[in-house]
Amino acid sequence: MLKRTEVKDLNCIEYNQLIGAESVEKYFFAEPDKIVYVLENERLAGIITLGDFKRNMSDIRAGINRQSKKLTISNDVDLEAERIFSENPQIKKIPVVDEKGEFLFEMTYENTDFEKEKIDYTKYLKDTTWFFFYLQRGGCKRVCLIDYNGFAQEFLKNIEVEKPDICIDVISADDFSRGCFMKYDLVIDTDLRRYERRHELYRRMDKRYTNTYTSIEQVYFLHEIVTQYKRHKENGVRFYVFEAPSETKLKYMTEKQKDRLKNKRFWKYYYKQPQLYADELKEMFGKDDFMPMVNNLFKMPVPIRKADVISYEEYRSDYCNVTGGYRITLNKEWENYTQDIDIYGPCSVFGLFVEDKDTISSVLQDEINHSDMNFFNVNNFGLRTASVQEMLKCMCNKDYQKGDIVIFMMMHEEIEYFHLIDPELSFIELSTLCNDKAKELGVFFLDNPVHFNYRASRVIAKEMYRIVYEEYRSGLISKVSPFEKRELARKKNIKEAYMGNAELIKYISEITKYKADVSGRVGSIVMNCNPFTNGHRFLIEQAAMEVDQLFIFVVEENKSVFSFLDRIELVKQGTKDLENVVVLPSGKFIISTVTFPEYFQKDDKQEVAIDMSLDIEVFAQCIAPEMNITIRFVGEEPIDKVTQQYNKTMQRILPQYGIECKEIKRIELSNVGVISASKVRKYLQEGEWEQIKRMVPTTTYDYLLDRFK
């Protein structure tokens, strides 16, 4: 559908008002997809698009496109516009002038499929803890949200500002374009359709703007990333962050390099006119016959998005090959590897202007193969033009294990994001390395310092090797044994198998309803209570004093003398005075015939070594995290050898998941010894009611009298 917009409603500026980039940047901040029309005495002189603006910020008048397509008013102007839009999908707007060239209106082809324009903001409103997490990490005191379709206003109503010293305002896109955001520490854009283009424009102005500009999606994403990062770090994954060579930090650039940066000659110029820049390309590639390199490396594999993660289509050439979504790493010796080193970063990590053998990952792999660290497998996860958030998504998509290493190589302006992820993370400046190796490197980049050649790639890879090897020699990095690797894989398989189990999902959804809103310590005890005794009561009392909330999981399997319904009711009655105790069924996944069948065959298994790890792994990986459980209490077991084994297995496995296992000494009675449910059952058979009365709470005693006497 064609739409006409009058001149008064468009972004128009007189030629004599074009003084500098500041005179038009406000238009693009508000509407990055709009066009700025340049007029001379009301006649259309030309247009400036966002691309024109970015390429000519130093001389904005040189950015005027005077050859752009326009139409002269006539009876057939609508038909002519429709033909142009149909034949040229990249054209979105056409100016229309009269016979004298006076600008009349703009014609736009408007997409009526409004569903594509909708953005689902539901997840941002469900839980706003992520919002304050970002503010806390960034130390922000004054924050503004750029409104889009009223969402920012709705969001502001939905949050409760706990700290009165934090100011949160909402501004419009017009306010943003007029620079009203300058007084805020943090600017959050809620218009996700325009954010990327606004952000690119903002980055080009970063010398004038000192605050942080981001999107609500990136603020939300940080919380997810930090959660994943912490999990990987706790599991024994090591992280390194290298700051890529930066124009502002390189001290010893040659005159050629300074000239390239000054003239802002983009690498595509070299591709279009290679013979014109023959000397520079020979120096870059280190070959007199540089055309095969130009023809191969300047043609890029196509990026694709799968499951919201960027990778590449399969690509084959003499110098650059992509398989499995990422560029290959050469020099692999597969039979030796137990651990991974994954390198993430932009075009510099991908190896934009180097062949496969000279990428950072291939050189690093070769260095590692010739050392006693030859158990590491290096992978290239370089993503051209991708943001730091895209790379972090890619990292989160991989399941790292103990002993793996993750290396990020980021641009100077992206380092700040890693400070938000981990304020204690240290960074290695590669500009310093390039300064130290200036003579060896010579002219090492094409159009900017991250588009470097094979010499810089080798120097950087060897520096990465040196740093990792030093930590390996000092014991901070070690080889994971094949046994540990199998054990890690087994644990991973357990989680994958059970977290997709429909019954377990249903069970977890039911028990999580009983989680109290407590910020303190949460503990648990698993009990059979066949029947409930003073020994059980003592264990619960002791545990309840150490935590803010205590869950008692009563074994649900009906394989005991007393039925499950009777046992769980006895526990509830016997603990109803303890306010922080919640009694729950164990379901089919805590001490059950599914996870620990030997428990119900104790009499026959006293002298048998039993693998009870499945039951404990399911609890630690699937149930405890959902209930925020960080400690599990057990009673000391002096007699039953199956329970002794179970307690020892818990003490070995639970701490691996950040869960403490604490053993509590059981109480004893004179002439009876340790109180146990098995002794109560024995006295029941013998009719020793006075002894039973000493061993069980009143609620249990009354139940037993009613049933057996």
Side-chain angles (χ1 to χ4, degrees):
M1 183 177 72
L2 291 177
K3 178 186 174 183
R4 295 187 181 191
T5 305
E6 300 299 321
V7 172
K8 63 182 178 63
D9 297 320
L10 296 171
N11 297 330
C12 299
I13 187 169
E14 284 289 334
Y15 180 82
N16 59 15
Q17 294 177 337
L18 276 176
I19 300 169
E22 296 85 350
S23 56
V24 293
E25 70 178 44
K26 61 182 180 180
Y27 299 121
F28 294 117
F29 269 138
E31 298 283 349
D33 49 348
K34 290 291 181 72
I35 290 172
V36 175
Y37 293 99
V38 181
L39 307 179
E40 287 184 292
N41 299 320
E42 298 187 350
R43 290 186 175 90
L44 183 64
I47 67 170
I48 301 175
T49 65
L50 179 59
D52 298 326
F53 173 75
K54 290 188 294 186
R55 286 188 293 270
N56 298 277
M57 288 175 64
S58 58
D59 182 7
I60 195 62
R61 290 185 176 182
I64 300 173
N65 182 352
R66 297 180 182 271
Q67 307 300 318
S68 62
K69 194 174 287 293
K70 59 186 175 184
L71 291 175
T72 303
I73 191 70
S74 69
N75 293 333
D76 298 326
V77 71
D78 286 358
L79 291 174
E80 183 63 13
E82 284 184 349
R83 183 188 64 77
I84 293 173
F85 286 133
S86 175
E87 293 176 358
N88 305 274
Q90 75 278 10
I91 296 178
K92 308 296 182 185
K93 301 172 176 62
I94 302 174
V96 178
V97 299
D98 63 12
E99 293 82 356
K100 296 179 182 179
E102 186 175 325
F103 189 21
L104 301 178
F105 54 85
E106 175 192 80
M107 296 196 77
T108 310
Y109 182 76
E110 197 169 74
N111 185 359
T112 56
D113 186 5
F114 295 112
E115 287 300 310
K116 293 182 180 178
E117 297 295 314
K118 288 184 178 178
I119 300 171
D120 183 11
Y121 288 103
T122 310
K123 66 179 180 180
Y124 306 121
L125 294 170
K126 284 182 179 176
D127 179 7
T128 56
T129 54
W130 52 270
F131 180 74
F132 291 104
F133 176 83
Y134 191 101
L135 301 194
Q136 181 185 13
R137 283 293 174 105
C140 305
K141 298 295 183 184
R142 295 183 63 81
V143 183
C144 72
L145 291 93
I146 304 171
D147 200 17
Y148 173 67
N149 283 354
F151 167 73
Q153 295 285 0
E154 184 182 357
F155 180 78
L156 195 58
K157 290 177 185 175
N158 195 52
I159 62 175
E160 293 182 9
V161 182
E162 298 174 358
K163 296 183 178 180
D165 57 337
I166 296 179
C167 168
I168 304 174
D169 294 329
V170 172
I171 65 173
S172 67
D174 288 337
D175 292 334
F176 180 60
S177 68
R178 289 195 295 270
C180 295
F181 58 88
M182 299 290 283
K183 63 182 179 181
Y184 297 98
D185 307 321
L186 176 67
V187 183
I188 302 173
D189 202 336
T190 66
D191 187 348
L192 302 182
R193 300 174 309 160
R194 297 184 175 90
Y195 167 70
E196 289 298 333
R197 281 169 291 178
R198 282 176 177 165
H199 185 253
E200 187 178 356
L201 184 60
Y202 186 91
R203 278 175 56 180
R204 290 173 181 266
M205 301 293 182
D206 62 0
K207 291 180 182 177
R208 288 194 289 117
Y209 302 145
T210 57
N211 47 11
T212 300
Y213 170 60
T214 187
S215 74
I216 196 157
E217 186 176 47
Q218 302 303 350
V219 175
Y220 181 86
F221 180 60
L222 177 68
H223 193 255
E224 295 180 357
I225 284 295
V226 171
T227 303
Q228 287 272 43
Y229 171 81
K230 282 183 176 178
R231 182 175 65 84
H232 288 324
K233 201 171 179 182
E234 288 168 0
N235 288 343
V237 179
R238 290 193 68 78
F239 289 84
Y240 300 88
V241 179
F242 289 80
E243 183 184 316
S246 168
E247 175 185 344
T248 58
K249 295 184 179 182
L250 291 174
K251 295 180 180 178
Y252 306 113
M253 286 189 289
T254 64
E255 290 304 315
K256 287 183 181 179
Q257 289 173 323
K258 291 176 183 177
D259 179 64
R260 291 174 191 176
L261 292 171
K262 181 181 178 181
N263 293 325
K264 292 181 167 45
R265 194 183 302 136
F266 192 45
W267 65 265
K268 287 185 179 179
Y269 288 106
Y270 295 88
Y271 177 55
K272 291 176 180 177
Q273 297 177 298
Q275 296 305 329
L276 184 63
Y277 304 108
D279 290 341
E280 294 179 49
L281 290 169
K282 285 179 185 178
E283 195 171 37
M284 181 72 181
F285 294 122
K287 295 181 180 183
D288 290 336
D289 184 14
F290 57 82
M291 282 309 298
M293 299 279 283
V294 170
N295 291 332
N296 274 270
L297 295 177
F298 283 58
K299 293 177 182 177
M300 304 296 174
V302 178
I304 55 175
R305 186 179 289 275
K306 290 182 179 178
D308 204 31
V309 174
I310 293 178
S311 59
Y312 294 104
E313 288 183 350
E314 295 291 306
Y315 184 80
R316 295 285 181 273
S317 76
D318 293 338
Y319 297 96
C320 176
N321 293 275
V322 171
T323 186
Y326 300 96
R327 191 165 186 182
I328 66 168
T329 298
L330 299 182
N331 309 313
K332 288 184 181 283
E333 298 173 358
W334 294 101
E335 66 275 8
N336 296 328
Y337 302 137
T338 60
Q339 288 141 256
D340 287 339
I341 295 180
D342 290 349
I343 311 178
Y344 295 88
C347 40
S348 48
V349 172
F350 177 84
L352 191 62
F353 300 125
V354 299
E355 51 190 303
D356 289 335
K357 70 181 180 65
D358 289 321
T359 61
I360 292 172
S361 60
S362 291
V363 177
L364 179 57
Q365 184 71 75
D366 189 53
E367 292 288 321
I368 282 171
N369 289 349
H370 293 88
S371 74
D372 49 353
M373 283 201 315
N374 58 4
F375 48 85
F376 275 112
N377 167 47
V378 184
N379 298 300
N380 184 338
F381 286 102
L383 295 167
R384 295 182 298 106
T385 72
S387 67
V388 61
Q389 289 84 6
E390 293 288 358
M391 293 171 206
L392 287 164
K393 278 183 185 177
C394 183
M395 184 269 289
C396 288
N397 204 44
K398 185 167 177 181
D399 191 14
Y400 287 101
Q401 297 182 2
K402 178 184 176 183
D404 290 336
I405 291 174
V406 176
I407 295 174
F408 282 98
M409 191 164 115
M410 292 293 140
M411 308 286 279
H412 168 69
E413 59 269 21
E414 294 169 328
I415 292 295
E416 179 188 353
Y417 200 81
F418 283 89
H419 278 296
L420 293 173
I421 293 170
D422 184 353
E424 297 179 359
L425 197 60
S426 58
F427 306 93
I428 302 106
E429 274 194 14
L430 291 176
S431 296
T432 303
L433 175 70
C434 292
N435 290 333
D436 294 341
K437 302 278 185 179
K439 288 185 179 179
E440 180 183 340
L441 290 172
V443 179
F444 69 88
F445 63 82
L446 196 60
D447 56 341
N448 73 67
V450 295
H451 290 167
F452 47 70
N453 67 1
Y454 66 98
R455 290 191 296 273
S457 187
R458 291 173 185 174
V459 165
I460 290 168
K462 289 179 180 182
E463 178 67 6
M464 288 180 177
Y465 169 77
R466 184 190 67 78
I467 290 170
V468 172
Y469 190 72
E470 280 185 5
E471 297 213 340
Y472 169 69
R473 297 293 292 173
S474 66
L476 294 172
I477 298 171
S478 59
K479 183 177 182 179
V480 175
S481 70
F483 171 78
E484 284 182 283
K485 203 73 177 174
R486 287 195 300 272
E487 186 70 6
L488 291 168
R490 186 184 66 81
K491 291 178 179 180
K492 177 186 171 187
N493 291 338
I494 287 172
K495 185 168 185 178
E496 288 179 350
Y498 280 88
M499 281 310 287
N501 185 291
E503 283 192 88
L504 179 56
I505 292 170
K506 183 180 178 183
Y507 172 70
I508 289 173
S509 70
E510 289 173 353
I511 63 174
T512 49
K513 297 173 186 174
Y514 297 93
K515 272 197 307 186
D517 186 17
V518 295
S519 57
R521 209 174 184 202
V522 179
S524 67
I525 305 174
V526 180
M527 293 178 160
N528 192 27
C529 302
N530 187 30
F532 184 64
T533 68
N534 286 334
H536 294 120
R537 166 77 190 197
F538 176 77
L539 175 58
I540 293 170
E541 285 176 346
Q542 296 301 305
M545 287 190 288
E546 296 193 29
V547 295
D548 296 278
Q549 186 175 34
L550 180 67
F551 293 110
I552 309 298
F553 295 98
V554 180
V555 175
E556 194 167 344
E557 291 278 6
N558 263 318
K559 290 185 175 292
S560 303
V561 172
F562 299 93
S563 71
F564 164 68
L565 292 177
D566 284 352
R567 286 184 288 110
I568 195 169
E569 186 59 30
L570 288 175
V571 179
K572 288 179 178 179
Q573 291 299 319
T575 59
K576 62 183 179 182
D577 59 312
L578 302 175
E579 293 182 357
N580 63 336
V581 171
V582 179
V583 182
L584 298 170
S586 69
K588 294 184 178 180
F589 302 95
I590 306 175
I591 303 188
S592 69
T593 52
V594 173
T595 59
F596 186 12
E598 295 88 351
Y599 180 85
F600 307 100
Q601 305 158 15
K602 281 185 179 183
D603 293 344
D604 301 326
K605 303 288 184 181
Q606 289 298 308
E607 304 301 327
V608 179
I610 303 169
D611 181 6
M612 304 135 166
S613 59
L614 175 61
D615 184 84
I616 300 162
E617 291 281 359
V618 171
F619 176 83
Q621 294 192 49
C622 306
I623 296 170
E626 298 293 335
M627 303 298 285
N628 300 326
I629 293 168
T630 57
I631 182 169
R632 182 164 163 179
F633 298 93
V634 296
E636 181 186 59
E637 182 49 65
I639 302 168
D640 188 335
K641 293 183 179 179
V642 172
T643 304
Q644 287 175 4
Q645 284 189 67
Y646 188 70
N647 289 356
K648 287 180 180 178
T649 306
M650 275 196 288
Q651 290 164 351
R652 175 174 61 84
I653 292 177
L654 291 180
Q656 297 174 22
Y657 298 95
I659 303 169
E660 182 185 351
C661 181
K662 182 168 183 179
E663 193 173 70
I664 295 176
K665 188 175 179 63
R666 293 167 70 171
I667 56 172
E668 299 183 15
L669 293 176
S670 58
N671 302 322
V672 173
V674 171
I675 297 176
S676 71
S678 59
K679 286 181 181 178
V680 172
R681 296 195 301 273
K682 176 177 175 290
Y683 287 138
L684 268 175
Q685 290 178 342
E686 297 171 355
E688 295 284 347
W689 288 97
E690 287 302 317
Q691 292 286 36
I692 293 171
K693 193 172 186 178
R694 296 174 63 202
M695 297 174 67
V696 299
T698 303
T699 50
T700 302
Y701 186 72
D702 291 342
Y703 162 81
L704 294 174
L705 280 176
D706 183 60
R707 179 173 171 182
F708 292 100
K709 195 170 181 181

